[in-house]
Amino acid sequence: MLLEGSCHCQAVTFSVKSHHPYPFNRCYCSICRKTAGGGGYAINLSGDSKTLNVRGEEHISVYSALINREQSTGERHFCKHCASSLWVYDPDWPELVHPFASAIDTPLPTPPKRTHMMLGSRADWVEVNAGFQDKCFDEYPDESLAEWHQRLGLER
Ligand SMILES: [Zn+2]
Ligand SMILES: [Zn+2]
């Protein structure tokens, strides 16, 4: 499906094609929490980077976090005016781009179950509302965003 997204001030709008649009994957790491997840986590989707179409590119800044004192390869794109998180791009996986579900304006499908990742980095005040079929991981999950969609037969 085609995902259309924007920042809050509308300086940046974008679209990207996605076969994996279910917002099921909650990341509780400190980077997501601080930069994109005021409620304690952020949710990334997966799109086809070749189809990413951006208007207002000049309004975008990129943040690359330090992880264990090393520069992360993940490039977190955000609007430099309103600070909305837009997407993560990692040149190690150049065919993918990971828009934040919070930046998407297209109605997204409701996930039948969820994955909770990086729970080892969760803040104490953040409650994990995990359903009994949800998967929980202290660090990275055991499947990719694409594999989750394939397992549940939800590829679009
Ligand atoms: Zn903006
Ligand atoms: Zn994270």
Side-chain angles (χ1 to χ4, degrees):
M1 64 187 282
L2 184 70
L3 303 179
E4 295 191 279
S6 60
C7 66
H8 192 261
C9 78
Q10 300 293 306
V12 183
T13 59
F14 65 96
S15 66
V16 64
K17 280 192 186 148
S18 174
H19 298 294
H20 307 116
Y22 278 75
F24 74 93
N25 194 42
R26 298 180 177 180
C27 183
Y28 295 76
C29 85
S30 65
I31 312 167
C32 287
R33 184 170 65 247
K34 291 259 182 184
T35 65
Y41 57 83
I43 301 177
N44 282 115
L45 309 172
S46 186
D48 177 355
S49 64
K50 288 192 305 291
T51 67
L52 179 65
N53 211 314
V54 184
R55 260 192 43 222
E57 195 134 18
E58 67 273 22
H59 303 295
I60 292 176
S61 279
V62 173
Y63 176 59
S64 296
L66 286 179
I67 301 177
N68 300 327
R69 295 194 189 153
E70 283 192 38
Q71 195 77 48
S72 160
T73 53
E75 302 169 356
R76 291 170 178 261
H77 294 244
F78 64 96
C79 172
K80 58 180 154 188
H81 306 297
C82 70
S84 293
S85 290
L86 298 167
W87 64 81
V88 182
Y89 175 75
D90 191 326
D92 287 349
W93 287 275
E95 67 281 5
L96 299 177
V97 63
H98 296 294
F100 288 97
S102 52
I104 299 300
D105 300 311
T106 305
L108 295 172
T110 303
K113 30 189 118 173
R114 294 179 169 81
T115 294
H116 306 263
M117 65 177 275
M118 293 294 181
L119 288 169
S121 307
R122 178 182 65 88
D124 286 341
W125 55 266
V126 178
E127 196 178 351
V128 181
N129 291 310
F132 79 105
Q133 288 185 312
D134 288 6
K135 289 186 171 193
C136 293
F137 300 91
D138 273 349
E139 294 183 354
Y140 290 100
D142 61 359
E143 58 191 348
S144 67
L145 298 181
E147 286 164 347
W148 181 94
H149 283 76
Q150 283 152 12
R151 176 167 60 86
L152 297 180
L154 295 174
E155 276 190 301
R156 296 247 163 156

